[in-house]
């Protein structure tokens, strides 16, 4: 049984099938497509706020014929000390899948440990793999040959950046550059893993500190907030550190003439991205946000059928044994 806890949980071939399916689902009117969740419920647990992820999942479950049950964590006994492992055992008896937005990645691992139904990462501090599916889908829709595309990600080397590096490498994007202030680069294991995937798919991964150099001639300029959920206490420091990394019309002028601008949203206008760039003709941000729905529909369809065809990926986080996970130190009790 497969989960979706990381952008590394799909092989390049499987990710391509899933994104093709999402593009197909986008063309299908609600109510006439797949009803794979008919008679089933999906639990959506949010330990952090969400607009896009939660509502796209609720709509996706409904459009697939199922019933979404969305809950804030404080409405559950989780908030009074019931363990994630016990919660997963119980919910496995009621639901077809569990979607969790949380803080540490180890909370997703704990849920997946005892769950007998698929678990989905709806954002953790480490990764945002559902976002990356819609991001790659948007890039595929805008550029016919991903191997000729350079993606320049500006700002914080955070969860969104991590999943973009992994999923972008799997998609065979020509080059992905993360331009981040010193000390805020994506973490080394993710950069190394993306680079290793890139060796197979033809994607080069670069990390640098110069936003002008990173964006020069690039086809995709991407940014995210400077202060992620849970980092509110660092707000002032982060605004100072990131001020040269704003996605501005000046940076856009140095990019490729066919460049598009992306942002996972929510945006802090005129902080990490200039308002005129966000609303300008090169922005595909609204299209990117809209793609969350078909991407999550395709994801749920795969998870409940467990069928994407093609070869299976090598062992990854969610199909390791408990012993292997303990050895990796990824599991926190
Ligand atoms: N991009 C994204 O995940 O948005 P939400 O936080 O609104 O879900
Ligand atoms: N990096 C942001 C993404 C929000 C969708 C956060 O974690 O808050």
């Amino acid at each position: 049984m497969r989960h979706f806890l990381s952008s590394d949980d799909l092989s390049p071939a499987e990710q391509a099938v899933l994104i093709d399916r999402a593009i197909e689902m986008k063309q299908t009117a609600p109510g006439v497509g797949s009803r794979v969740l008919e008679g089933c419920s999906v639990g959506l647990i949010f330990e952090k706020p969400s607009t896009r992820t939660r509502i796209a999942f609720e709509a996706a479950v409904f459009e697939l014929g199922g019933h979404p049950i969305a809950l804030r964590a404080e409405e559950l006994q989780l908030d009074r000390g019931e363990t994630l492992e016990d919660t997963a055992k119980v919910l496995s008896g009621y639901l077809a899948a569990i979607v969790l937005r949380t803080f540490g990645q180890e909370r997703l691992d704990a849920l997946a440990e005892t769950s007998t139904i698929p678990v989905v990462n709806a954002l953790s501090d480490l990764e945002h793999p559902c976002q990356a599916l819609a991001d790659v889908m948007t890039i595929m829709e805008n550029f016919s040959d991903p191997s000729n595309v350079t993606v320049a990600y500006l700002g914080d080397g955070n969860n969104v950046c991590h999943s973009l590096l992994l999923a972008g490498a799997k998609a065979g994007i020509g080059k992905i550059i993360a331009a981040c202030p010193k000390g805020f680069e994506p973490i080394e294991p993710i950069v190394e893993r993306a680079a290793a995937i890139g060796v197979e798919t033809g994607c080069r991964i670069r990390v640098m500190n110069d936003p002008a150099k990173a964006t020069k001639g690039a086809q995709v300029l991407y940014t995210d907030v400077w202060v992620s959920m849970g980092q509110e206490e660092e707000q002032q420091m982060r605004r100072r550190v990131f001020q040269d990394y704003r996605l501005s019309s000046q940076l856009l002028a140095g990019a490729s003439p066919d460049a598009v601008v992306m942002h996972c949203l929510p945006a802090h206008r005129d902080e990490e991205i200039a308002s005129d760039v966000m609303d300008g003709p090169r922005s595909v941000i609204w299209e990117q946000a809209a793609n969350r729905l078909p991407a999550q529909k395709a994801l749920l369809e795969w998870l409940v059928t467990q069928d994407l065809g093609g070869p299976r990926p090598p062992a990854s986080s969610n199909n390791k044994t408990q012993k292997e996970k303990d050895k990796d130190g990824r599991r926190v009790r």
Side-chain angles (χ1 to χ4, degrees):
M1 220 257 319
R2 309 259 308 269
H3 302 292
F4 189 59
L5 309 183
S6 161
S7 293
D8 203 12
D9 285 342
L10 290 168
S11 70
E14 288 175 329
Q15 182 180 282
V17 170
L18 200 146
I19 286 169
D20 281 351
R21 179 66 178 137
I23 291 171
E24 191 184 355
M25 283 177 146
K26 189 175 171 177
Q27 317 305 330
T28 314
V32 295
S34 169
R35 305 285 292 171
V36 78
L37 283 172
E38 195 83 64
C40 301
S41 301
V42 172
L44 313 168
I45 304 171
F46 284 80
E47 296 184 337
K48 292 173 176 175
S50 170
T51 297
R52 283 142 286 270
T53 312
R54 175 177 161 171
I55 294 170
F57 266 123
E58 288 202 44
V61 172
F62 176 75
E63 289 185 18
L64 291 169
H67 171 61
I69 304 174
L71 293 158
R72 290 282 307 189
E74 61 266 24
E75 295 173 277
L76 303 174
Q77 297 288 9
L78 269 177
D79 214 42
R80 296 180 57 252
E82 187 167 27
T83 66
L84 283 158
E85 290 88 342
D86 290 351
T87 304
K89 278 191 207 167
V90 173
L91 296 187
S92 294
Y94 310 149
L95 305 170
I98 313 173
V99 173
L100 174 65
R101 169 167 287 195
T102 190
F103 292 85
Q105 184 77 11
E106 71 282 354
R107 293 183 64 72
L108 283 149
D109 290 340
L111 199 67
E113 188 61 44
T114 54
S115 175
T116 58
I117 55 175
V119 175
V120 176
N121 178 356
L123 179 148
S124 66
D125 292 342
L126 185 67
E127 279 203 52
H128 196 358
C130 295
Q131 178 68 51
L133 288 177
D135 295 346
V136 171
M137 175 179 170
T138 308
I139 294 169
M140 295 299 196
E141 287 178 324
N142 279 278
F143 298 95
S144 51
D145 181 1
S147 69
N148 285 328
V149 171
T150 294
V151 174
Y153 174 93
L154 297 184
D156 193 13
N158 60 15
N159 44 9
V160 167
C161 177
H162 289 159
S163 284
L164 181 68
L165 288 170
L166 294 168
K170 296 214 177 203
I173 287 168
K175 192 173 184 183
I176 311 177
I177 309 171
C180 313
K182 279 202 169 53
F184 296 87
E185 294 96 343
I187 63 169
E188 205 51 46
I190 299 259
V191 174
E192 280 170 13
R193 178 67 190 135
I197 297 164
V199 170
E200 285 175 40
T201 62
C203 175
R204 285 170 297 153
I205 302 289
R206 298 281 179 273
V207 177
M208 58 174 75
N209 309 112
D210 182 342
K213 191 171 163 197
T215 49
K216 195 167 169 25
Q219 281 73 29
V220 177
L221 270 50
Y222 193 128
T223 195
D224 182 19
V225 290
W226 293 341
V227 184
S228 283
M229 290 178 275
Q231 297 174 333
E232 289 75 11
E233 282 176 11
E234 298 176 10
Q235 191 162 308
Q236 283 196 340
M237 174 275 286
R238 285 178 166 267
R239 282 194 179 138
R240 250 194 336 274
V241 171
F242 286 101
Q243 59 184 333
D244 295 335
Y245 291 79
R246 177 170 302 118
L247 210 172
S248 62
S249 49
Q250 288 84 351
L251 284 181
L252 184 55
S256 171
D258 63 349
V260 299
V261 169
M262 296 178 67
H263 190 309
C264 59
L265 302 176
H268 289 99
R269 285 174 175 266
D270 296 318
E271 197 168 288
E272 76 277 358
I273 185 165
S275 237
D276 59 340
V277 172
M278 215 176 142
D279 299 325
R282 306 310 314 168
S283 168
V284 294
I285 290 170
W286 312 112
E287 185 181 328
Q288 178 188 3
N291 282 342
R292 299 292 305 276
L293 174 60
Q296 288 170 201
K297 268 174 91 168
L299 174 67
L300 286 171
E301 184 185 57
W302 160 53
L303 286 170
V304 297
T305 59
Q306 295 276 305
D307 182 18
L308 272 178
R312 299 236 150 172
S316 71
S317 59
N318 64 39
N319 45 25
K320 280 183 178 170
T321 63
Q322 184 54 46
K323 230 174 164 177
E324 285 170 320
K325 282 187 184 175
D326 287 341
K327 204 167 116 243
D328 287 351
R330 299 186 73 241
R331 181 81 165 69
V332 174
R333 278 178 197 281

